[in-house]
Every structure is written in structure tokens, then in C-alpha cells.
Amino acid sequence: MHRVLDAVDLEVRTGSAVAITGRSGSGKSTLLNLLSGIDFPDSGTIELDGREIGSLREPERTEFRRLHVGFVYQFFNLVPTLCVEENVRLPLELNGVRGAQARRRSAAMLARVGLGDRLQSAVDTLSGGEQQRVAIARALVHEPSLVLADEPTGNLDEATAGEVVPLLRSLVSARGATLMMVTHDRALAAAADRALELREGRLYPVS
Ligand SMILES: Nc1ncnc2c1ncn2[C@@H]1O[C@H](COP(=O)(O)OP(=O)(O)OP(=O)(O)O)[C@@H](O)[C@H]1O
Ligand SMILES: [Mg+2]
């Protein structure tokens, strides 16, 4: 058996921002997948707001993720056949929020990321930084308690990255949600409340 994570013991305070660094293959994405219930651990427990996720079965696991977790990915992962507003509305519809209320919330969220004038745009007409802002709006629109970002700036130039991460952080903390962000960028990691490095299956503080 290939052991990726071992003796990971981490407690994160609600509302804080944690950055995770580590070389390729060190298990960063695996850690996020455990937190969102996409993967589950061979042993140990994972709790969010006092609820044990590791022991949830499908479909509770899927429902938990849909309600309480938001994701931001390196390659944005927007749906190319949907316009900007429809992409952001999607998590609401999956959670049963529909019609005018859903459209109002997605438009308001897009205004918060500075894209209130691009609601009907095709996503492939947006720049990388704009697409990532759509993805941030999509990750937050259903008010998740945990936001997971896996290399959110990996596909952006330095200047754009320097704008996107503070935006993500401020929107997450304004909602009292917790942010767990994987990054290769030391400067971005240092700006989090806590920076941790994953090495040989364990987490170490970055000084
Ligand atoms: N579904 C899987 N089945 C088997 N091995 C896997 C699976 N997913 C990941 N791994 C292995 O687990 C290890 C950690 O992978 P992971 O994707 O978590 O790394 P990472 O730190 O996110 O790397 P990167 O910076 O390249 O994204 C790697 O050795 C990978 O090959
Ligand atoms: Mg990864």
C-alpha cells in the first residue's frame, strides 16, 4: 500500500484561513478531498462543525458536500455551455433554490466579485482572472461553511494572483467561513492565518 497521509492531526478554527504547501505528490489534493468527503480515510476521523464526515455514507456524503463546501480549482472548472450567471446559480439549484430568488443571489454574488456587468457573458470570453472570480462566486453563493481552493492561482499571472487571493480571503472571512487553500506560492501562503507544509505525510508549520 502507498501511504500518502500519515499522522495528520490538524484542528482549524472556524473562520480562519489556512494555506497548505508541499511538493508535487505530497498529498495536498488528497487532503482537500478528504475534507470534502470525496475521498475517505483508511483510519482516523474528520469533523466539520462537530459532524464526523468520514463515516457518512452516500448519499449523505454528497448532500453534505453540496450544502456545506465550496470549491475553487486551478483550471476554474466552469461549465462552458452556461453563461456567467448560470454557472454561479448552479450550486443554488442543486440545493433546491430556484427561480427569481436564485437569480437574485447569483447576481448579487457576482457583483461582490466585480462581475455584475458580465452576467450574460459566455465564460470563454472572460480572462483567466475573471473566470476565477466567477469560480469564487460559484464557490460562495450557497454560503458554505468550508471553502477549499486547490492551487487557485496556479493558472494566473502573478499580478492577477495577487488580486484573486485577497478577494477570496475577504469574501470567505466576511461570511465567517473557513478557507483551506493549497498553493505553491510562498507569498500567498504567508498571507494566510496559518501556513502548513505537507511533507512525508505529515503537516509542519511554515515559519
Ligand atoms: N485515486 C488515487 N489512487 C491512487 N493514488 C492516488 C490517487 N490520488 C492520488 N494518488 C497518489 O497520492 C499521492 C498524492 O497525490 P496528490 O494529488 O494528493 O498530490 P498533490 O500534493 O496534490 O500534488 P500536485 O502538487 O502535483 O497537485 C501521489 O503519489 C498520487 O499518485
Ligand atoms: Mg494537487
Side-chain angles (χ1 to χ4, degrees), residues 26-27 60 66 85 88 116 148 177 179:
S26 61
E60 286 79 16
R66 222 163 43 201
E85 187 274 326
V88 175
L148 303 175
L179 174 65

Side-chain angles (χ1 to χ4, degrees), residues 25 28-30 150-151 182:
K28 304 180 297 296
S29 296
T30 302
D150 199 343
E151 297 268 1
V182 166

Side-chain angles (χ1 to χ4, degrees), residues 38 52 62 86 101 104 108 119 131 139-140 144 147 154 157 161 166 171 174 186 190 192 197 201:
I38 289 173
E52 223 276 282
T62 304
E86 288 166 333
Q101 196 202 349
R104 206 164 39 240
L119 301 187
Q131 289 190 45
L140 294 169
V147 178
D157 63 57
L171 290 173
R186 289 245 162 197
E197 184 184 351

Side-chain angles (χ1 to χ4, degrees), residues 2-5 21-33 39 74 150-151 182 184 198:
H2 176 57
R3 199 177 281 266
V4 178
L5 298 176
T21 61
R23 63 169 181 75
S24 181
S26 61
K28 304 180 297 296
S29 296
T30 302
L31 181 61
L32 293 196
N33 288 343
D39 287 339
Q74 177 174 356
D150 199 343
E151 297 268 1
V182 166
H184 279 304
L198 198 50

Side-chain angles (χ1 to χ4, degrees):
M1 188 176 80
H2 176 57
R3 199 177 281 266
V4 178
L5 298 176
D6 189 27
V8 169
D9 185 3
L10 174 66
E11 193 165 351
V12 176
R13 199 156 34 82
T14 301
S16 65
V18 178
I20 296 165
T21 61
R23 63 169 181 75
S24 181
S26 61
K28 304 180 297 296
S29 296
T30 302
L31 181 61
L32 293 196
N33 288 343
L34 288 167
L35 295 172
S36 67
I38 289 173
D39 287 339
F40 38 97
D42 296 310
S43 64
T45 58
I46 299 163
E47 283 183 21
L48 181 67
D49 294 337
R51 192 156 165 215
E52 223 276 282
I53 310 163
S55 64
L56 290 182
R57 295 175 177 279
E58 293 293 348
E60 286 79 16
R61 189 188 297 276
T62 304
E63 185 184 72
F64 157 82
R65 186 162 53 239
R66 222 163 43 201
L67 283 170
H68 303 295
V69 186
F71 296 91
V72 182
Y73 304 93
Q74 177 174 356
F75 297 103
F76 321 136
N77 287 19
L78 300 175
V79 181
T81 52
L82 300 179
C83 72
V84 165
E85 187 274 326
E86 288 166 333
N87 266 276
V88 175
R89 203 195 320 149
L90 207 51
L92 293 173
E93 301 213 323
L94 290 172
N95 284 320
V97 184
R98 302 223 159 80
Q101 196 202 349
R103 280 195 295 277
R104 206 164 39 240
R105 279 176 66 178
S106 57
M109 193 65 233
L110 279 158
R112 300 284 304 270
V113 300
L115 291 171
D117 57 348
R118 302 300 295 272
L119 301 187
Q120 304 308 320
S121 297
V123 292
D124 63 3
T125 63
L126 269 52
S127 72
E130 288 166 342
Q131 289 190 45
Q132 198 59 308
R133 283 191 275 147
V134 176
I136 289 169
R138 180 185 56 183
L140 294 169
V141 72
H142 57 302
E143 307 206 334
S145 51
L146 176 64
V147 178
L148 303 175
D150 199 343
E151 297 268 1
T153 62
N155 218 24
L156 302 175
D157 63 57
E158 205 176 317
T160 310
E163 291 165 9
V164 160
V165 167
L167 176 71
L168 177 62
R169 276 203 65 188
S170 68
L171 290 173
V172 172
S173 72
R175 286 168 165 65
T178 305
L179 174 65
M180 299 276 293
M181 175 176 71
V182 166
T183 180
H184 279 304
D185 188 323
R186 289 245 162 197
L188 294 176
D193 298 318
R194 251 170 110 182
L196 300 166
E197 184 184 351
L198 198 50
R199 213 181 324 128
E200 279 142 23
R202 292 167 190 254
L203 284 169
Y204 298 91
V206 176
S207 47

